[in-house]
Every structure is written in C-alpha cells, then in structure tokens.
Amino acid sequence: MDNLTQKIPTQELEEPKSSAFESSLKSSDTEEQIDIWFYRPIGYQIALFCAKVGITPNPVTIVSIFFGVAAGILFYYQELWINVIGMLLLVFANSLDSADGQLARMTNNKSRLGRILDGAAGDFWFIAIHIAICLRSQNEGWSALIWVPGVLAGASHVVQSAMADYYRNVHLFFIKGTSGSELDNSLELQKEYDALSWGKDFGMKLVARFYMNYTKMQESFSPNLQKLLGAVRTKYRTGLPQWLVTEFRAQNKPLMKYTNIIQFNTRVLFLFLWLFIDQAWIYFLFDIFILNPILIYMCVNQEKVSRHFYQKIVS
C-alpha cells in the first residue's frame, strides 16, 4: 500500500455493521443496489464456502476469468439458447468476482496481486465478448469494419472501468482510510517496480509494470485529484481532520452512482437485451456514445470536487 494511505488513517463514518454479511461489503456509499440484492448475497455464500475449505481469494478470481471468457465465447453463436447459457456463465463469473473481495475482507487476506487480478478479470471477460460480437457480426454480413467500433468500445470499457474503480477507492480512502480502500499511487509503485529484477522476478516485474501503467492512466485523467491527494499527503500526516472527512463524503457521494452506471451491471443488462433481439452490435454504440459521456461527466465533476477541497486545504 502506498505511503499516503499508510500515513493518513481516517475515521470510518459508516453506520455500525449489524451482520457478518454487511462486514463483507466495501461501503454502502459505493455499493449498487443490484449488487446488494443479488450479487453480494451469492458472493457471500461462495466466500463462506471458500473460507471453510481453505480456498484463498486469488484462485476464486482466476476461476471467474475462465467463466467470464467462456461466456464471451458463447455470445459468438446466434442461437439464443446458447447465448442464454453465456449470460448465466457471465452472471456466475461476476458472482465469483464479488466473492473474491468479500472473502478477502472476511479473512483479511488482501494482496497487491489480488487487486491486480481482480481489476484484470473484467477486462478479460469483455475482450472475449468484444471479439465474439465482432466475429458474430461478420458472420451476419458485416464487413471487417465492425472491428473499428469493437476496438473503440473495448478501449472505452478499459478507461471507464479504471476510472470508476479509482474514484471508488478515493471515496473509500476519505471515509474509511486504509481499512476499506485500495488506493495506490504510481510513485510508490515505481519504487516497488525498480526494486524487482527482470532476471529473478520476471513474472512479478511484468505484472508490476502493467499495474503501474494502469495507475498512471488513472492519475492522468484526474490532475486536480492528484493535487488534492498531494496536499493531503503534505498537510495531514497524522490524520485527516473530521471536517474534511465529513464534507468530502457529502459532496462526493452523489458521484458514486456514476461509477456504478459505467461498470458491470448496466452494461450487461443492455448487452443481454441486444442479444435477445439478435442485435449484439448495438452494444458497441452503447459503450461509445452512452457510457463515454457518462464517464466524461463523472470525471469533470470529480475534478470539480477535488479542486474545491484542494483550494480549501491550501488557502
């Protein structure tokens, strides 16, 4: 974990947890209702089973990748019943993706590798889905130009997911500190990367390079937020003041709904709809022309919030 999160504990403002299930959740501020109602209860039962038999979070994440990729492959076929099997596999993959985080929190078994795998899992799913839809569309008579929106939508998905994940962790850091956030920064990741050797640590250094670039991309989309975090790092070395925790939560919480919209649930509901009507290619347009404007709106307003608190801190 980076120095910022090591040095600055914050007081959790969440209501007291009333059950073991609620303790397995990140935060009511950042959880989406469909997750609380559906995916988290399923994930919790999977996590309980894994904890009982001694399965750790990372294998759960890896298994979710296989199920998600298999789901994507099944979307290549035009037979609806095959697509429905793919939908069920994708739902199960996301349940496993929920379970790995819940298991990590239940067993206090968190790791940098686990965070990297968890972030990469969804990308693997949707790479398979985009490839399948492109090939399916060509079988339906589309030209190879279908790959252009397919690739653009794929790139959009990567940025959307990365920024939604980043903003969630920033929010969790301000309201829960290190106990509930996985906020990293590229400067600390660079030090860890430099300490690894290509000869002795090839695999870990390759993963560290990927994750460092991923974090740099997140930071490049949020310059005002980086100023705010830098000011916090400099001014509040022993702990965030209560006024900052309270006010940041109040102003930033409304933006959390946009992080949910551009992640899994909304896009998958529309993907399933277009598969049912045999118009899967519309998914690319939805990703590019609907979710990207929401991403932009989210980033712009997050930057406004960050600029407000940065000016308040340094003034």
Side-chain angles (χ1 to χ4, degrees):
M1 195 69 67
D2 58 272
N3 284 350
L4 175 61
T5 54
Q6 288 175 344
K7 292 178 180 176
I8 307 175
T10 58
Q11 179 180 353
E12 182 177 343
L13 291 182
E14 297 272 77
E15 60 276 4
K17 303 300 183 186
S18 59
S19 70
F21 167 70
E22 290 175 342
S23 297
S24 74
L25 306 179
K26 287 184 177 181
S27 161
S28 61
D29 283 8
T30 58
E31 294 284 356
E32 192 173 1
Q33 280 304 124
I34 193 171
D35 289 329
I36 294 174
W37 292 336
F38 184 74
Y39 286 108
R40 299 297 185 245
I42 295 174
Y44 180 64
Q45 294 302 319
I46 296 172
L48 285 177
F49 171 78
C50 291
K52 184 177 181 179
V53 300
I55 299 175
T56 56
N58 289 352
V60 178
T61 308
I62 293 171
V63 172
S64 80
I65 294 174
F66 283 100
F67 275 98
V69 170
I73 293 171
L74 294 183
F75 295 153
Y76 164 78
Y77 300 95
Q78 286 184 267
E79 290 84 355
L80 181 58
W81 69 271
I82 297 179
N83 295 164
V84 170
I85 294 174
M87 295 174 196
L88 295 175
L89 290 180
L90 190 58
V91 167
F92 184 63
N94 197 51
S95 299
L96 290 173
D97 188 56
S98 177
D100 61 13
Q102 291 172 276
L103 178 62
R105 287 184 286 276
M106 289 165 54
T107 60
N108 196 28
N109 186 358
K110 302 177 182 179
S111 68
R112 174 68 54 69
L113 179 59
R115 168 156 169 72
I116 295 170
L117 284 173
D118 187 59
D123 290 336
F124 280 112
W125 304 349
F126 282 93
I127 287 171
I129 290 170
H130 283 236
I131 292 173
I133 293 176
C134 286
L135 294 174
R136 172 186 179 135
S137 298
Q138 285 189 280
N139 286 345
E140 294 171 347
W142 289 76
S143 73
L145 289 176
I146 190 63
W147 288 90
V148 174
V151 171
L152 289 175
S156 299
H157 173 268
V158 170
V159 177
Q160 292 160 10
S161 297
M163 296 313 298
D165 177 70
Y166 191 59
Y167 289 145
R168 278 181 172 179
N169 276 304
V170 167
H171 186 81
L172 290 169
F173 167 73
F174 273 92
I175 69 169
K176 299 184 73 171
T178 58
S179 66
S181 174
E182 298 174 319
L183 183 63
D184 289 311
N185 72 68
S186 59
L187 293 178
E188 292 301 318
L189 294 175
Q190 182 73 58
K191 294 177 183 177
E192 296 179 12
Y193 172 79
D194 292 340
L196 297 172
S197 166
W198 282 113
K200 296 180 180 180
D201 313 293
F202 179 83
M204 285 305 302
K205 193 171 179 74
L206 185 64
V207 171
R209 181 70 190 186
F210 165 81
Y211 187 57
M212 182 174 64
N213 290 341
Y214 176 83
T215 304
K216 285 182 177 179
M217 178 189 71
Q218 293 172 317
E219 293 172 349
S220 70
F221 279 85
S222 54
N224 287 332
L225 176 55
Q226 302 315 307
K227 290 181 181 179
L228 172 61
L229 293 175
V232 167
R233 182 187 301 117
T234 301
K235 191 168 183 177
Y236 303 119
R237 294 180 180 274
T238 58
L240 295 180
Q242 193 61 46
W243 70 264
L244 178 57
V245 177
T246 303
E247 292 186 21
F248 185 89
R249 183 188 190 190
Q251 291 199 30
N252 201 64
K253 183 178 177 180
L255 297 178
M256 291 300 99
K257 62 177 174 289
Y258 300 107
T259 68
N260 291 326
I261 291 172
I262 64 175
Q263 288 202 306
F264 181 84
N265 292 327
T266 301
R267 69 174 65 246
V268 165
L269 286 173
F270 281 96
L271 172 63
F272 290 176
L273 170 64
W274 291 312
L275 285 167
F276 271 110
I277 64 175
D278 196 19
Q279 299 294 329
W281 59 273
I282 301 178
Y283 174 72
F284 297 153
L285 302 184
F286 176 75
D287 214 329
I288 297 169
F289 296 111
I290 302 298
L291 296 185
N292 274 341
I294 295 174
L295 167 70
I296 294 169
Y297 180 84
M298 179 183 71
C299 290
V300 168
N301 282 276
Q302 180 71 64
E303 285 291 278
K304 288 180 180 178
V305 170
S306 298
R307 182 169 60 249
H308 166 77
F309 283 104
Y310 172 74
Q311 293 172 347
K312 198 166 185 176
I313 288 173
V314 300
S315 60

